[in-house]
Amino acid sequence: MSFDSQPNKAMVLVYINCALATLNARQHIRDAGGEVSHGRIDANVVSAFRATNGTESGSEDIPIDSQLYPLEEAKTQKHHLSTTVNGADSKRMPKFGGVATRVFYHPQSVVSPLLTLRVAIGRHNTPNPNPIMALMNKPPSRFLLVGLAFVLFTSLLVWYSNITSWNDINLSRFRTSTDPSYSGSSTTSESRCVVRLQQNLRSIPQKRQRVAIASTFGYHFDVYLALAWTMQRVMSRPPNPAAHDLGGNGTVAVYTPEPKFHFGFDKVIDALGLYKGEIKPSENLFDDLDKEVDGHKIDLVVLGTCEVDLRGGSESWHQRLLDVWDLRPDDEKFMVVCIIHDVRDEHWQSHITEWARRGAIRFLPISQHVANSFKSVLLTRADNTRNPTIRLAGYEYLKVDTHVPILNLSASDQLWTGSSTPKLPLDVDIDLEGIDHSGLGALDSDGVGPASTHITNKMGRKLSRAVIQGSFSTERREYETVFRELIESLTDDPSVWGYLPLKEGEEKFVVDPKEKDPFYLYLLGSGGLNIPKALEDMVIVKKDLDYAEFYHLMQTMDICVPAFNPENGYYRFQASSTMVMALQCNVPILATRRVRSAYAYADDDRVMVTRPAVISEVAALRALRIGNMTSFWDHYTQMAAIGDAVGGDIMKVLPSHGINVYDDLGHMMEAGWRRADAGFESFREGLWKENERVVEKFLRDL
């Protein structure tokens, strides 16, 4: 049964009172000289009880559970007792085990002045529908103890059900599937949990009504405008009284350092309806802070890049915002929400102390691993033994949430290529090298043409298009390692990749004209990078693309290769855009357990292709492309074997974890590299719900 309804909670309280009253009655009877034997009361007590209540002598013996009053009190306190079953002084109660009950006040009861329970003489002929209460009405005391244990356990469940667990809930920790091929439309446990948490939150009045999202930094607009999109959805939600949903209300304003966004992001805003409202210059924030609109001043300030926005001296936003906060009355204070991108940037973090002392700051990283690292920083500061100002600021109580900036690209036919005739902005001129253009018709006058079905349809062809996305920094990504391993693999067997062997005097591998699906590695990002001569036909570099161009090209990829430097901060201190870009473009990510653990929101088999760390990214791409891991397994057994394989059983000379390696490789191959679009859609929907829950929290200061 459900313990959320008030009637059920009331019944539990009745059970508790019954048990307490029964124990109390036993003690009273003994104190008054009565005997309690095998669940019955001696004749004197029965007579007194009957005399007190005017019952007939023919009534049956009284079960011990129904007698609450000792012999002497029954004789002397008659005027306190109800004398008729349906009299004016009695209050009818539910039947327990078929016994009619009444509640009345006993001034000298141990549990006084609580209401206690007494059972009237005479059982009804109504059959007992409740086996548990039937057991409780049986004479032996052990049944009473069992019933009491049940009541206590039930009470704990009721208490636990009332705990609102919206703080520090990370829904992505709930594994959605153990089957990597799973691509269902929803994950039941996760969606139910999100719905329950949102219902709890939405029944609480919203505290923050006017939100300002602002930044002095010219980038990261794709991050804070994704937050604006979430906030406007939440704040425009109509009330639903049936679900105890008070609805959303309020406004969102955006303040940026430049009127236009880099790389054509304005087109993305318009195509997706990402933000509906005027985008104002950053400096206008301080003009608007104390202006009232519909009776409200700005009461929530979100800083898009706190590492920049709160950095500086007396003229910095930190001091200016602090001055405004201090001048406001106590009932008009605002809260600052800091979006965190890189925990290692400490130049601004000294300013946290003054905001922490005022209880007016909270943090919003864009991935769980960044949140965890930043929590560690806060706890370290909280433990400061040398500076009492820092120690007393309350760093350990500062709240850290996560909002993942994934957009809904499929909502726009200008950005999404999944339809048969995807539309792109008119000024898009992109050379999609490596795409089979056969059968493409001429572009229409508006620049629209049919997509290559060979590329968009990934079924029935080999893995042929991998992408590494991000800045071309060898400190951040393992470009050089990937290049070296590709050259080694091509030298060993170029046909696996769809290329011809090098001829004498040649330095560059060229595509085999007979190969329908040659392999290409795309590098999408910015900066400079030297591509080895041998890979000039295989590696295709596209840099500084507009967002629309980037999204269009990204959606044609088969798989995304993170290529993170294992010593770089992408696993601990900083969130890579690679994950978000791939996930919103329906591109599965080739990831190790370490990647999945760091980016816990994406720890989902619907969107990940998991490789064991013993196999490199290039070796995994080769195995997935040909559907065979024999080459790597032979290499692994040769390198990992200890001694000679007696009798040909290689497993006997492998380390004990060799069987785990074999199983994980088999798991990767069985699942393959393809992931269904429906799986990506349901994954993103769950993530958007979690983003909404986070916004619901800080609009209520929770």
Side-chain angles (χ1 to χ4, degrees):
M1 70 180 180
S2 171
F3 295 102
D4 292 330
S5 63
Q6 292 301 323
N8 284 332
K9 292 180 180 179
M11 291 296 290
V12 171
L13 295 176
V14 170
Y15 292 159
I16 295 172
N17 280 338
C18 288
L20 292 175
T22 302
L23 293 175
N24 183 33
R26 288 175 175 271
Q27 186 59 43
H28 279 338
I29 293 167
R30 290 189 178 95
D31 293 342
E35 294 181 5
V36 181
S37 176
H38 301 294
R40 300 291 173 177
I41 312 171
D42 68 7
N44 291 332
V45 176
V46 173
S47 299
F49 183 89
R50 288 170 175 159
T52 301
N53 292 279
T55 55
E56 298 178 2
S57 58
S59 298
E60 65 181 10
D61 290 338
I62 306 169
I64 186 61
D65 293 355
S66 63
Q67 174 64 38
L68 299 187
Y69 294 92
L71 179 61
E72 294 303 319
E73 289 185 8
K75 292 178 180 178
T76 59
Q77 303 293 336
K78 181 176 180 179
H79 60 282
H80 287 292
L81 307 180
S82 169
T83 57
T84 60
V85 174
N86 296 311
D89 295 330
S90 71
K91 181 186 254 185
R92 298 294 291 175
M93 290 289 288
K95 294 178 182 180
F96 291 97
V99 180
T101 60
R102 285 179 289 175
V103 174
F104 55 92
Y105 176 71
H106 186 273
Q108 298 182 19
S109 172
V110 173
V111 293
S112 177
L114 296 175
L115 291 179
T116 53
L117 180 69
R118 165 171 82 71
V119 179
I121 299 300
R123 291 184 178 273
H124 295 264
N125 293 326
T126 306
N128 182 4
N130 192 330
I132 295 177
M133 295 312 302
L135 284 175
M136 290 185 65
N137 282 325
K138 289 194 174 184
S141 59
R142 62 177 177 272
F143 292 122
L144 176 63
L145 295 177
V146 170
L148 182 58
F150 171 80
V151 167
L152 293 175
F153 176 75
T154 304
S155 303
L156 286 174
L157 287 180
V158 173
W159 172 76
Y160 183 78
S161 71
N162 283 328
I163 295 178
T164 304
S165 55
W166 46 65
N167 284 313
D168 296 325
I169 294 288
N170 181 359
L171 291 173
S172 60
R173 293 175 187 165
F174 297 105
R175 293 299 300 273
T176 56
S177 171
T178 56
D179 179 4
S181 62
Y182 173 81
S183 60
S185 61
S186 66
T187 53
T188 304
S189 61
E190 178 178 320
S191 59
R192 285 179 180 173
C193 188
V194 172
V195 169
R196 176 65 183 275
L197 292 171
Q198 285 181 334
Q199 286 176 342
N200 288 337
L201 285 167
R202 291 172 178 177
S203 64
I204 300 172
Q206 188 176 309
K207 184 173 182 179
R208 307 294 173 179
Q209 311 292 332
R210 282 190 64 200
V211 179
I213 300 177
S215 184
T216 60
F217 189 52
Y219 296 89
H220 294 159
F221 40 79
D222 53 339
V223 172
Y224 61 73
L225 284 171
L227 176 62
W229 178 53
T230 304
M231 297 191 83
Q232 287 192 325
R233 290 200 313 274
V234 169
M235 299 175 81
S236 62
R237 188 186 66 258
N240 183 1
H244 306 289
D245 183 350
L246 300 178
N249 57 83
T251 60
V252 180
V254 174
Y255 302 81
T256 65
E258 300 176 18
K260 292 290 185 180
F261 296 105
H262 297 295
F263 305 114
F265 197 73
D266 304 81
K267 298 174 183 176
V268 177
I269 297 173
D270 294 338
L272 298 180
L274 206 56
Y275 171 69
K276 299 175 182 178
E278 179 186 359
I279 295 178
K280 303 179 181 181
S282 299
E283 275 301 310
N284 285 20
L285 171 65
F286 293 92
D287 297 331
D288 294 346
L289 270 176
D290 283 330
K291 290 181 180 178
E292 284 197 9
V293 177
D294 296 329
H296 296 283
K297 295 180 180 179
I298 290 174
D299 49 18
L300 187 68
V301 178
V302 180
L303 300 180
T305 306
C306 257
E307 294 90 334
V308 176
D309 299 329
L310 282 189
R311 180 184 298 181
S314 59
E315 297 301 316
S316 69
W317 273 24
H318 157 68
Q319 191 58 51
R320 295 172 68 185
L321 286 169
L322 207 60
D323 292 342
V324 175
W325 194 95
D326 287 341
L327 289 173
R328 282 196 180 187
D330 289 343
D331 60 347
E332 295 183 0
K333 302 294 188 184
F334 58 84
M335 177 70 69
V336 172
V337 176
C338 270
I339 298 180
I340 306 296
H341 298 267
D342 190 345
V343 178
R344 293 169 300 183
D345 188 338
E346 299 179 351
H347 295 89
W348 67 282
Q349 293 179 13
S350 60
H351 296 320
I352 297 175
T353 302
E354 289 303 316
W355 292 101
R357 290 180 60 233
R358 291 162 173 78
I361 193 169
R362 62 192 301 162
F363 305 96
L364 196 64
I366 59 177
S367 181
Q368 282 93 339
H369 69 286
V370 179
N372 293 337
S373 293
F374 197 71
K375 285 179 183 178
S376 180
V377 169
L378 297 178
L379 292 176
T380 300
R381 286 178 173 267
D383 223 11
N384 192 304
T385 59
R386 298 178 182 178
N387 189 330
T389 301
I390 294 177
R391 188 177 67 251
L392 296 173
Y395 271 87
E396 64 185 311
Y397 303 110
L398 298 179
K399 295 175 181 176
V400 182
D401 297 291
T402 301
H403 182 277
V404 182
I406 288 185
L407 306 180
N408 185 18
L409 299 184
S410 61
S412 168
D413 59 0
Q414 291 183 330
L415 303 175
W416 195 249
T417 61
S419 61
S420 59
T421 56
K423 292 180 180 293
L424 292 173
L426 302 184
D427 60 349
V428 168
D429 180 18
I430 185 167
D431 179 18
L432 301 180
E433 299 179 54
I435 292 183
D436 179 6
H437 294 280
S438 60
L440 285 178
L443 291 178
D444 298 334
S445 59
D446 63 352
V448 176
S452 169
T453 56
H454 180 68
I455 293 301
T456 56
N457 181 15
K458 298 178 182 180
M459 303 304 293
R461 65 174 177 83
K462 301 174 185 176
L463 186 156
S464 58
R465 300 169 64 78
V467 60
I468 300 177
Q469 182 274 334
S471 61
F472 301 151
S473 168
T474 56
E475 292 183 358
R476 294 188 178 192
R477 290 177 176 84
E478 295 281 83
Y479 291 107
E480 294 176 351
T481 300
V482 171
F483 294 159
R484 185 184 68 253
E485 292 187 4
L486 277 173
I487 293 173
E488 291 174 354
S489 184
L490 280 165
T491 302
D492 180 58
D493 186 357
S495 65
V496 167
W497 303 95
Y499 288 76
L500 295 173
L502 288 177
K503 295 179 180 179
E504 187 175 352
E506 290 183 341
E507 298 182 24
K508 180 176 66 174
F509 289 95
V510 296
V511 174
D512 184 348
K514 297 179 181 178
E515 174 62 51
K516 183 181 179 181
D517 300 312
F519 178 84
Y520 292 97
L521 175 63
Y522 282 77
L523 307 183
L524 308 183
S526 59
L529 190 64
N530 293 324
I531 308 300
K533 182 71 174 179
L535 300 177
E536 284 183 352
D537 277 10
M538 176 181 282
V539 176
I540 300 170
V541 179
K542 292 292 181 181
K543 61 181 182 179
D544 301 326
L545 297 175
D546 279 358
Y547 275 90
E549 298 175 300
F550 173 86
Y551 291 146
H552 178 248
L553 183 56
M554 189 74 174
Q555 289 169 61
T556 68
M557 297 299 154
D558 294 338
I559 197 165
C560 178
V561 181
F564 294 154
N565 183 332
E567 304 301 324
N568 192 263
Y570 281 143
Y571 290 100
R572 291 183 58 196
F573 307 114
Q574 188 176 8
S576 170
S577 62
T578 294
M579 311 301 288
V580 167
M581 291 300 187
L583 293 172
Q584 63 191 5
C585 290
N586 286 16
V587 182
I589 300 168
L590 183 63
T592 59
R593 287 189 178 91
R594 186 184 181 196
V595 171
R596 292 183 64 150
S597 176
Y599 295 83
Y601 67 83
D603 186 14
D604 193 312
D605 289 325
R606 291 173 295 179
V607 299
M608 289 286 189
V609 177
T610 306
R611 67 175 175 92
V614 296
I615 185 171
S616 69
E617 288 169 320
V618 170
L621 289 172
R622 183 188 190 278
L624 290 167
R625 174 176 166 81
I626 65 176
N628 190 308
M629 68 172 185
T630 302
S631 176
F632 173 76
W633 181 249
D634 290 343
H635 170 72
Y636 171 76
T637 55
Q638 181 182 356
M639 299 296 294
I642 302 173
D644 297 327
V646 180
D649 188 355
I650 190 63
M651 298 303 293
K652 291 183 178 179
V653 294
L654 290 180
S656 58
H657 58 260
I659 187 64
N660 302 111
V661 172
Y662 187 85
D663 288 344
D664 286 347
L665 288 169
H667 193 70
M668 179 185 78
M669 299 304 299
E670 182 182 2
W673 57 272
R674 300 175 183 86
R675 295 294 182 269
D677 288 345
F680 279 96
E681 291 291 341
S682 61
F683 163 79
R684 287 194 293 267
E685 287 171 2
L687 197 56
W688 292 329
K689 288 180 181 178
E690 171 63 4
N691 283 345
E692 290 177 4
R693 185 189 69 83
V694 170
V695 167
E696 300 272 11
K697 282 178 58 180
F698 58 70
L699 288 178
R700 291 162 173 78
D701 283 356
L702 296 173

